[in-house]
């Protein structure tokens, strides 16, 4: 079937500078600056018309974004993006801020370069780059540092952005959360012989849907070679208590993101749930984790870790003593 007359082929679809900026999550000013300073611009131009960016032009810009997000100076990144010969490095811009900014960027503040790159890739919805950055972060920094210094600041920035902009950035936060979860599970589920001994149970409180922090704990425990069981979000109270009786854990971490899901009665019941034969009965230590738990927990067997590193240290001592 022939193409309708007057309709350009799909492969030739093009974008304006504003459209390209929105797609890549940078400001139009940044795109124009790159075009003016480094020659990263449309290959073809029509006199008297707005510049139009072809798919090939956009691909060069995407490569430019990836390279600058990794800390490559803009001039060098431009040469690499165009497929030029090996470049001569040039100085970075003042303050080391070489990557694109503008109103579309996620404001992450003073963070590691990996976090800035992750935030920018997420805004571009660049799944390949998001995955690469997260994989390198977990492999090179370890799960704890990657979570604390790379993942959390980017996730918080995405949350603040869509809260301020309405639903405009929800897709960015969802994409980023999914890839963070994938990266953490890759660490937590590494193949090999399962660690022996009483496990740590990880569970979201009834009604609690947030599980990324628990997945970070699971990844940290896996790196330490410590056994755990992950039950995920919104675990019903009786199911949690039955899991304690069935597995005989040394510790139970129950996560609450907000105060309405922080059930102190259930926390005490969990700490009081015993297992084992007569004369050798034991009870778990319960770690109430997350911002939903305010103040200091009351009752025997209850602990309140302040951060991931502190929680892993407590758990490690419980399992090795």
């Amino acid at each position: 079937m022939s193409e309708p007359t007057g309709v350009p082929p799909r492969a030739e679809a093009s974008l304006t500078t504003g459209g390209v900026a929105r797609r890549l999550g940078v400001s139009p000013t940044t795109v124009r600056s790159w075009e003016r300073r480094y020659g990263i611009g449309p290959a073809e131009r029509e006199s008297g018309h707005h510049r139009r960016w072809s798919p090939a032009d956009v691909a060069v810009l995407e490569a430019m974004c990836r390279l600058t997000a990794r800390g490559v100076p803009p001039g060098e990144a431009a040469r690499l993006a165009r497929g030029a010969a090996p470049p001569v490095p040039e100085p970075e811009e003042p303050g080391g801020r070489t990557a694109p900014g503008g109103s579309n960027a996620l404001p992450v503040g003073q963070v590691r370069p990996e976090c800035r790159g992750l935030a920018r890739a997420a805004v571009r919805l660049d799944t390949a780059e998001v995955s690469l950055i997260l994989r390198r972060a977990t492999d090179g920094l370890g799960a704890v540092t990657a979570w604390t210094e790379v993942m959390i600041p980017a996730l918080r920035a995405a949350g603040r952005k869509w809260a301020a902009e309405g639903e405009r950035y929800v897709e960015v936060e969802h994409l980023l959360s999914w890839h963070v979860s994938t990266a953490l599970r890759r660490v937590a589920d590494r193949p090999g012989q399962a660690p022996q001994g009483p496990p740590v149970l990880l569970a979201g409180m009834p009604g609690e849907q947030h599980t990324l922090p628990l997945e970070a704990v699971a990844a940290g425990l896996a790196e330490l070679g410590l056994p755990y069981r992950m039950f995920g979000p919104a675990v019903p109270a009786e199911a949690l208590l039955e899991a304690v009786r069935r597995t005989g854990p040394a510790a139970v971490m129950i996560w609450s993101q907000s105060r309405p899901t922080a059930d102190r009665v259930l926390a005490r019941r969990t700490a009081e749930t015993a297992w084992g034969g007569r004369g050798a009965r034991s009870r778990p230590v319960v770690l109430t984790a997350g911002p939903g738990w305010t103040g200091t927990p009351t009752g025997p067997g209850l602990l309140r870790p302040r951060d991931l590193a502190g929680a892993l240290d407590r758990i490690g001592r419980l399992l090795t003593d």
Side-chain angles (χ1 to χ4, degrees):
M1 182 179 295
S2 62
E3 291 273 354
T5 58
V7 178
R10 186 177 183 87
E12 297 302 320
S14 59
L15 295 171
T16 64
T17 298
V20 168
R22 286 191 296 273
R23 173 170 170 174
L24 300 183
V26 299
S27 69
T29 301
T30 297
V31 175
R32 295 188 186 100
S33 173
W34 283 350
E35 182 182 4
R36 183 177 65 256
R37 297 175 63 182
Y38 308 115
I40 300 292
E44 298 182 4
R45 309 185 188 195
E46 297 181 15
S47 178
H49 292 78
H50 290 295
R51 289 178 294 251
R52 305 292 297 190
W53 298 72
S54 71
D57 299 327
V58 175
V60 175
L61 267 182
E62 289 175 333
M64 179 81 172
C65 287
R66 292 191 186 103
L67 290 164
T68 54
R70 296 175 190 174
V72 179
E76 181 180 356
R79 287 189 288 268
L80 290 171
R82 292 193 304 264
V88 177
E90 61 185 50
E92 294 186 359
E93 294 178 4
R97 296 186 177 276
T98 61
S103 60
N104 292 327
L106 296 183
V108 292
Q110 297 299 315
V111 293
R112 300 182 68 100
E114 298 93 335
C115 181
R116 289 199 301 272
L118 178 62
R120 288 161 182 151
V123 169
R124 297 195 306 272
L125 305 181
D126 188 342
T127 58
E129 185 70 4
V130 168
S131 295
L132 178 62
I133 292 171
L134 289 171
R135 183 167 63 251
R136 287 177 172 174
T138 52
D139 290 348
L141 302 174
V144 175
T145 301
W147 170 252
T148 304
E149 300 184 13
V150 179
M151 299 174 185
I152 283 183
L155 287 165
R156 287 176 175 169
R160 289 193 299 268
K161 189 72 170 178
W162 73 254
E165 300 281 347
E167 295 186 354
R168 182 180 171 197
Y169 285 83
V170 171
E171 75 281 5
V172 175
E173 195 270 344
H174 282 208
L175 179 141
L176 183 57
S177 296
W178 189 86
H179 282 280
V180 166
S181 176
T182 300
L184 291 172
R185 292 190 186 195
R186 185 177 69 89
V187 177
D189 297 335
R190 284 174 178 168
Q193 186 175 3
Q196 301 300 309
V200 180
L201 304 190
L202 307 173
M205 293 293 290
E208 180 56 66
Q209 297 298 324
H210 292 79
T211 60
L212 284 181
L214 290 178
E215 292 173 27
V217 174
L221 291 171
E223 286 186 331
L224 295 173
L226 300 176
Y228 70 90
R229 302 286 186 276
M230 166 67 87
F231 293 99
V235 180
E238 293 305 321
L240 175 62
L241 299 178
E242 181 61 19
V244 171
R245 288 188 285 265
R246 290 180 59 187
T247 62
V252 179
M253 176 176 283
I254 45 180
W255 180 268
S256 170
Q257 184 72 20
S258 60
R259 293 185 66 178
T261 65
D263 187 341
R264 297 180 182 277
V265 173
L266 178 56
R268 287 194 294 270
R269 289 181 65 194
T270 305
E272 293 167 358
T273 300
W275 68 88
R278 185 175 299 176
R281 298 180 71 78
S282 300
R283 292 177 174 81
V285 172
V286 174
L287 295 92
T288 55
W293 303 98
T294 57
T296 303
T298 57
L302 294 174
L303 297 176
R304 174 80 166 94
R306 299 299 176 184
D307 53 34
L308 175 56
L312 291 174
D313 179 67
R314 288 285 188 98
I315 291 171
R317 282 186 281 155
L318 287 170
L319 295 184
T320 55
D321 285 346

